Amino acid sequence: MKKWTTDVEIQAPIEQVWELFENDAQMQKIMPQVVENKPVKITEEVVGSIYRQKYKEGKRIEEYDVETLEYEDFPDHKKLKVGFTLANMFEITAFYELNKINENTTFFRYTATNRALKWFVKLFLLFANDKTVVKFVKKVKNVAESESNKQVQ
């Protein structure tokens, strides 16, 4: 299994950054390849909820179920961990953690894991790097800060 973690300070309020993960319309801004995110099973405590996502890669669309594995929503600290299996080849988790530094600054940490389910796919993971994780964290920062600047003006 491979694991990558990247973190960054974002010049935006924690609630505004959290919206990017909680609201489907906002999620599109940081995950434009996710073309659909429909609830399949919603639990009261959020953990155990399942969403069917459609992900567009080029002309191909992959469909998979995303399960909420961890969830915390406190004023100063927020967590969301989801897991899914992609193409019966990879078991993936994405863990988003937000901590309030002050009213206008949020600490964001993203941890992704990827476990090969087939022996021949393990070779791909040998050469995998953190480029995608770093790119995603930068995108969240850029979107959150630009949204925050719009609200200030």
Side-chain angles (χ1 to χ4, degrees), residues 33-68:
Q33 302 93 330
V34 175
V35 293
E36 192 173 284
N37 188 47
K38 284 188 175 176
V40 173
K41 173 184 153 193
I42 302 297
T43 64
E44 203 173 302
E45 59 281 349
V46 184
V47 172
S49 293
I50 297 173
Y51 290 83
R52 177 135 321 125
Q53 279 190 355
K54 289 185 179 178
Y55 181 91
K56 189 172 183 174
E57 186 66 54
K59 293 183 183 209
R60 215 173 79 234
I61 294 181
E62 286 284 337
E63 189 173 307
Y64 47 85
D65 288 347
V66 177
E67 182 178 0
T68 304

Short mmCIF file of all heavy atoms in Angstrom, two decimals, residues 33-68:
data_model
loop_
_atom_site.label_atom_id
_atom_site.label_comp_id
_atom_site.label_asym_id
_atom_site.label_seq_id
_atom_site.Cartn_x
_atom_site.Cartn_y
_atom_site.Cartn_z
N GLN A 33 -13.57 16.32 -12.32
CA GLN A 33 -13.76 15.03 -13.00
C GLN A 33 -14.92 14.22 -12.41
O GLN A 33 -15.42 13.31 -13.04
CB GLN A 33 -12.49 14.16 -12.94
CG GLN A 33 -11.27 14.80 -13.52
CD GLN A 33 -10.45 15.53 -12.45
OE1 GLN A 33 -10.97 16.03 -11.45
NE2 GLN A 33 -9.15 15.61 -12.66
N VAL A 34 -15.33 14.55 -11.17
CA VAL A 34 -16.49 13.88 -10.57
C VAL A 34 -17.73 14.53 -11.18
O VAL A 34 -18.09 15.64 -10.84
CB VAL A 34 -16.49 13.98 -9.03
CG1 VAL A 34 -17.76 13.37 -8.45
CG2 VAL A 34 -15.26 13.30 -8.45
N VAL A 35 -18.36 13.81 -12.11
CA VAL A 35 -19.49 14.38 -12.84
C VAL A 35 -20.83 14.06 -12.19
O VAL A 35 -21.85 14.65 -12.56
CB VAL A 35 -19.48 13.94 -14.33
CG1 VAL A 35 -18.29 14.53 -15.05
CG2 VAL A 35 -19.50 12.43 -14.47
N GLU A 36 -20.81 13.15 -11.20
CA GLU A 36 -22.05 12.85 -10.49
C GLU A 36 -21.71 12.29 -9.12
O GLU A 36 -20.73 11.55 -8.97
CB GLU A 36 -22.86 11.82 -11.29
CG GLU A 36 -24.28 11.65 -10.81
CD GLU A 36 -25.08 10.75 -11.74
OE1 GLU A 36 -25.47 11.22 -12.83
OE2 GLU A 36 -25.27 9.57 -11.38
N ASN A 37 -22.51 12.65 -8.12
CA ASN A 37 -22.30 12.20 -6.75
C ASN A 37 -23.68 12.03 -6.11
O ASN A 37 -24.19 12.92 -5.48
CB ASN A 37 -21.46 13.24 -5.99
CG ASN A 37 -21.05 12.75 -4.63
OD1 ASN A 37 -20.58 11.63 -4.48
ND2 ASN A 37 -21.22 13.59 -3.62
N LYS A 38 -24.29 10.84 -6.31
CA LYS A 38 -25.65 10.60 -5.85
C LYS A 38 -25.67 9.76 -4.58
O LYS A 38 -24.97 8.74 -4.50
CB LYS A 38 -26.45 9.83 -6.91
CG LYS A 38 -26.90 10.65 -8.08
CD LYS A 38 -27.83 9.84 -8.93
CE LYS A 38 -28.39 10.69 -10.05
NZ LYS A 38 -29.23 9.92 -10.95
N PRO A 39 -26.47 10.17 -3.60
CA PRO A 39 -26.58 9.37 -2.38
C PRO A 39 -27.25 8.02 -2.66
O PRO A 39 -28.24 7.96 -3.37
CB PRO A 39 -27.43 10.22 -1.45
CG PRO A 39 -28.00 11.31 -2.26
CD PRO A 39 -27.28 11.37 -3.56
N VAL A 40 -26.68 6.95 -2.11
CA VAL A 40 -27.25 5.61 -2.22
C VAL A 40 -27.84 5.22 -0.87
O VAL A 40 -28.93 4.70 -0.77
CB VAL A 40 -26.18 4.59 -2.66
CG1 VAL A 40 -26.70 3.16 -2.61
CG2 VAL A 40 -25.65 4.92 -4.03
N LYS A 41 -27.06 5.50 0.19
CA LYS A 41 -27.48 5.20 1.56
C LYS A 41 -26.94 6.32 2.45
O LYS A 41 -25.74 6.58 2.46
CB LYS A 41 -26.89 3.86 1.98
CG LYS A 41 -27.10 3.49 3.43
CD LYS A 41 -26.37 2.18 3.75
CE LYS A 41 -26.00 2.14 5.21
NZ LYS A 41 -25.06 1.05 5.49
N ILE A 42 -27.83 6.98 3.17
CA ILE A 42 -27.43 8.07 4.07
C ILE A 42 -27.72 7.63 5.50
O ILE A 42 -28.83 7.20 5.81
CB ILE A 42 -28.22 9.37 3.76
CG1 ILE A 42 -28.00 9.81 2.31
CG2 ILE A 42 -27.84 10.48 4.72
CD1 ILE A 42 -26.58 10.16 1.96
N THR A 43 -26.70 7.74 6.36
CA THR A 43 -26.89 7.40 7.76
C THR A 43 -26.96 8.69 8.57
O THR A 43 -26.41 9.72 8.16
CB THR A 43 -25.72 6.53 8.29
OG1 THR A 43 -24.53 7.30 8.25
CG2 THR A 43 -25.57 5.25 7.49
N GLU A 44 -27.62 8.62 9.71
CA GLU A 44 -27.78 9.79 10.56
C GLU A 44 -26.44 10.31 11.07
O GLU A 44 -26.20 11.50 11.13
CB GLU A 44 -28.69 9.43 11.75
CG GLU A 44 -29.36 10.63 12.36
CD GLU A 44 -30.37 10.22 13.42
OE1 GLU A 44 -31.30 9.46 13.09
OE2 GLU A 44 -30.19 10.67 14.56
N GLU A 45 -25.52 9.39 11.39
CA GLU A 45 -24.22 9.79 11.91
C GLU A 45 -23.19 10.04 10.80
O GLU A 45 -22.02 10.27 11.07
CB GLU A 45 -23.70 8.76 12.92
CG GLU A 45 -23.53 7.34 12.39
CD GLU A 45 -24.83 6.54 12.30
OE1 GLU A 45 -25.86 6.97 12.83
OE2 GLU A 45 -24.79 5.47 11.68
N VAL A 46 -23.61 9.97 9.55
CA VAL A 46 -22.80 10.21 8.35
C VAL A 46 -21.87 9.03 8.04
O VAL A 46 -21.81 8.58 6.91
CB VAL A 46 -22.03 11.56 8.39
CG1 VAL A 46 -21.28 11.79 7.08
CG2 VAL A 46 -22.97 12.73 8.67
N VAL A 47 -21.13 8.53 9.05
CA VAL A 47 -20.26 7.37 8.83
C VAL A 47 -21.14 6.21 8.36
O VAL A 47 -22.19 5.95 8.93
CB VAL A 47 -19.48 7.00 10.11
CG1 VAL A 47 -18.74 5.68 9.94
CG2 VAL A 47 -18.52 8.11 10.49
N GLY A 48 -20.70 5.55 7.29
CA GLY A 48 -21.48 4.47 6.71
C GLY A 48 -22.33 4.91 5.53
O GLY A 48 -22.88 4.07 4.82
N SER A 49 -22.44 6.22 5.32
CA SER A 49 -23.17 6.72 4.15
C SER A 49 -22.42 6.31 2.89
O SER A 49 -21.20 6.22 2.87
CB SER A 49 -23.29 8.24 4.20
OG SER A 49 -24.11 8.65 5.27
N ILE A 50 -23.19 6.05 1.83
CA ILE A 50 -22.60 5.65 0.56
C ILE A 50 -23.14 6.53 -0.56
O ILE A 50 -24.34 6.79 -0.63
CB ILE A 50 -22.90 4.16 0.26
CG1 ILE A 50 -22.26 3.28 1.35
CG2 ILE A 50 -22.41 3.77 -1.13
CD1 ILE A 50 -22.63 1.82 1.27
N TYR A 51 -22.22 6.98 -1.41
CA TYR A 51 -22.56 7.80 -2.57
C TYR A 51 -22.05 7.10 -3.82
O TYR A 51 -20.94 6.55 -3.82
CB TYR A 51 -21.90 9.18 -2.49
CG TYR A 51 -22.48 10.05 -1.41
CD1 TYR A 51 -22.06 9.93 -0.09
CD2 TYR A 51 -23.47 10.98 -1.71
CE1 TYR A 51 -22.60 10.72 0.91
CE2 TYR A 51 -24.01 11.78 -0.71
CZ TYR A 51 -23.58 11.64 0.59
OH TYR A 51 -24.12 12.42 1.58
N ARG A 52 -22.84 7.09 -4.87
CA ARG A 52 -22.38 6.56 -6.16
C ARG A 52 -21.80 7.73 -6.94
O ARG A 52 -22.47 8.71 -7.23
CB ARG A 52 -23.52 5.93 -6.92
CG ARG A 52 -23.11 5.44 -8.28
CD ARG A 52 -23.58 4.06 -8.67
NE ARG A 52 -23.56 3.07 -7.64
CZ ARG A 52 -24.64 2.34 -7.27
NH1 ARG A 52 -25.79 2.53 -7.86
NH2 ARG A 52 -24.54 1.44 -6.33
N GLN A 53 -20.51 7.62 -7.25
CA GLN A 53 -19.85 8.67 -8.01
C GLN A 53 -19.55 8.21 -9.42
O GLN A 53 -19.26 7.03 -9.65
CB GLN A 53 -18.52 9.07 -7.35
CG GLN A 53 -18.66 10.01 -6.21
CD GLN A 53 -17.33 10.58 -5.73
OE1 GLN A 53 -16.26 10.21 -6.19
NE2 GLN A 53 -17.41 11.48 -4.78
N LYS A 54 -19.62 9.17 -10.32
CA LYS A 54 -19.17 8.94 -11.69
C LYS A 54 -17.99 9.88 -11.92
O LYS A 54 -18.08 11.08 -11.63
CB LYS A 54 -20.28 9.22 -12.69
CG LYS A 54 -21.38 8.18 -12.65
CD LYS A 54 -22.41 8.40 -13.72
CE LYS A 54 -23.48 7.33 -13.64
NZ LYS A 54 -24.53 7.54 -14.65
N TYR A 55 -16.91 9.30 -12.42
CA TYR A 55 -15.66 10.02 -12.60
C TYR A 55 -15.28 9.93 -14.07
O TYR A 55 -15.20 8.84 -14.64
CB TYR A 55 -14.58 9.35 -11.73
CG TYR A 55 -13.22 9.99 -11.79
CD1 TYR A 55 -12.87 10.99 -10.90
CD2 TYR A 55 -12.27 9.57 -12.72
CE1 TYR A 55 -11.59 11.56 -10.92
CE2 TYR A 55 -11.01 10.14 -12.76
CZ TYR A 55 -10.68 11.13 -11.86
OH TYR A 55 -9.43 11.70 -11.89
N LYS A 56 -15.06 11.08 -14.68
CA LYS A 56 -14.74 11.12 -16.11
C LYS A 56 -13.23 11.25 -16.30
O LYS A 56 -12.61 12.18 -15.81
CB LYS A 56 -15.46 12.28 -16.78
CG LYS A 56 -15.35 12.26 -18.28
CD LYS A 56 -16.23 13.31 -18.91
CE LYS A 56 -16.14 13.18 -20.42
NZ LYS A 56 -17.05 14.06 -21.09
N GLU A 57 -12.67 10.29 -17.01
CA GLU A 57 -11.25 10.30 -17.36
C GLU A 57 -11.16 10.23 -18.87
O GLU A 57 -11.40 9.17 -19.46
CB GLU A 57 -10.54 9.11 -16.70
CG GLU A 57 -9.05 9.11 -16.86
CD GLU A 57 -8.35 10.25 -16.14
OE1 GLU A 57 -8.57 10.43 -14.94
OE2 GLU A 57 -7.59 10.98 -16.81
N GLY A 58 -10.89 11.38 -19.50
CA GLY A 58 -10.93 11.43 -20.96
C GLY A 58 -12.36 11.25 -21.43
O GLY A 58 -13.25 11.96 -20.99
N LYS A 59 -12.59 10.24 -22.27
CA LYS A 59 -13.95 9.96 -22.75
C LYS A 59 -14.62 8.86 -21.93
O LYS A 59 -15.81 8.62 -22.08
CB LYS A 59 -13.92 9.55 -24.22
CG LYS A 59 -13.49 10.69 -25.13
CD LYS A 59 -13.54 10.30 -26.58
CE LYS A 59 -13.04 11.46 -27.42
NZ LYS A 59 -13.62 11.50 -28.72
N ARG A 60 -13.84 8.19 -21.08
CA ARG A 60 -14.35 7.09 -20.28
C ARG A 60 -14.93 7.59 -18.96
O ARG A 60 -14.39 8.49 -18.34
CB ARG A 60 -13.21 6.11 -20.01
CG ARG A 60 -13.65 4.67 -19.99
CD ARG A 60 -12.49 3.70 -19.89
NE ARG A 60 -12.04 3.64 -18.51
CZ ARG A 60 -10.78 3.85 -18.15
NH1 ARG A 60 -9.86 4.13 -19.02
NH2 ARG A 60 -10.44 3.77 -16.88
N ILE A 61 -16.01 6.96 -18.52
CA ILE A 61 -16.61 7.29 -17.22
C ILE A 61 -16.59 6.05 -16.34
O ILE A 61 -17.10 5.00 -16.72
CB ILE A 61 -18.06 7.83 -17.38
CG1 ILE A 61 -18.04 9.17 -18.11
CG2 ILE A 61 -18.72 7.96 -16.01
CD1 ILE A 61 -19.39 9.80 -18.31
N GLU A 62 -15.93 6.18 -15.19
CA GLU A 62 -15.89 5.12 -14.18
C GLU A 62 -16.98 5.39 -13.16
O GLU A 62 -17.22 6.54 -12.80
CB GLU A 62 -14.54 5.11 -13.45
CG GLU A 62 -13.39 4.59 -14.25
CD GLU A 62 -13.38 3.07 -14.38
OE1 GLU A 62 -13.98 2.36 -13.53
OE2 GLU A 62 -12.79 2.60 -15.36
N GLU A 63 -17.62 4.35 -12.69
CA GLU A 63 -18.66 4.49 -11.66
C GLU A 63 -18.27 3.61 -10.48
O GLU A 63 -17.84 2.47 -10.66
CB GLU A 63 -20.00 4.05 -12.23
CG GLU A 63 -21.17 4.36 -11.34
CD GLU A 63 -22.50 4.05 -12.01
OE1 GLU A 63 -22.74 4.55 -13.13
OE2 GLU A 63 -23.28 3.31 -11.40
N TYR A 64 -18.38 4.16 -9.27
CA TYR A 64 -18.01 3.41 -8.08
C TYR A 64 -18.75 3.97 -6.88
O TYR A 64 -19.26 5.08 -6.91
CB TYR A 64 -16.49 3.46 -7.85
CG TYR A 64 -15.91 4.85 -7.97
CD1 TYR A 64 -15.91 5.71 -6.89
CD2 TYR A 64 -15.40 5.31 -9.19
CE1 TYR A 64 -15.41 7.00 -7.00
CE2 TYR A 64 -14.90 6.59 -9.30
CZ TYR A 64 -14.90 7.43 -8.21
OH TYR A 64 -14.42 8.71 -8.32
N ASP A 65 -18.81 3.18 -5.81
CA ASP A 65 -19.47 3.61 -4.58
C ASP A 65 -18.42 4.11 -3.59
O ASP A 65 -17.41 3.44 -3.36
CB ASP A 65 -20.26 2.47 -3.96
CG ASP A 65 -21.51 2.13 -4.75
OD1 ASP A 65 -21.90 2.93 -5.62
OD2 ASP A 65 -22.11 1.06 -4.51
N VAL A 66 -18.68 5.27 -3.03
CA VAL A 66 -17.78 5.90 -2.07
C VAL A 66 -18.46 5.81 -0.69
O VAL A 66 -19.58 6.28 -0.52
CB VAL A 66 -17.53 7.38 -2.44
CG1 VAL A 66 -16.65 8.05 -1.40
CG2 VAL A 66 -16.90 7.49 -3.82
N GLU A 67 -17.76 5.21 0.26
CA GLU A 67 -18.30 5.07 1.61
C GLU A 67 -17.61 6.03 2.56
O GLU A 67 -16.38 6.18 2.53
CB GLU A 67 -18.11 3.64 2.12
CG GLU A 67 -18.70 3.45 3.51
CD GLU A 67 -18.59 2.03 4.04
OE1 GLU A 67 -18.04 1.16 3.34
OE2 GLU A 67 -19.05 1.79 5.16
N THR A 68 -18.39 6.69 3.41
CA THR A 68 -17.84 7.58 4.42
C THR A 68 -17.35 6.72 5.58
O THR A 68 -18.13 5.99 6.20
CB THR A 68 -18.90 8.59 4.91
OG1 THR A 68 -19.39 9.31 3.78
CG2 THR A 68 -18.31 9.57 5.92
#
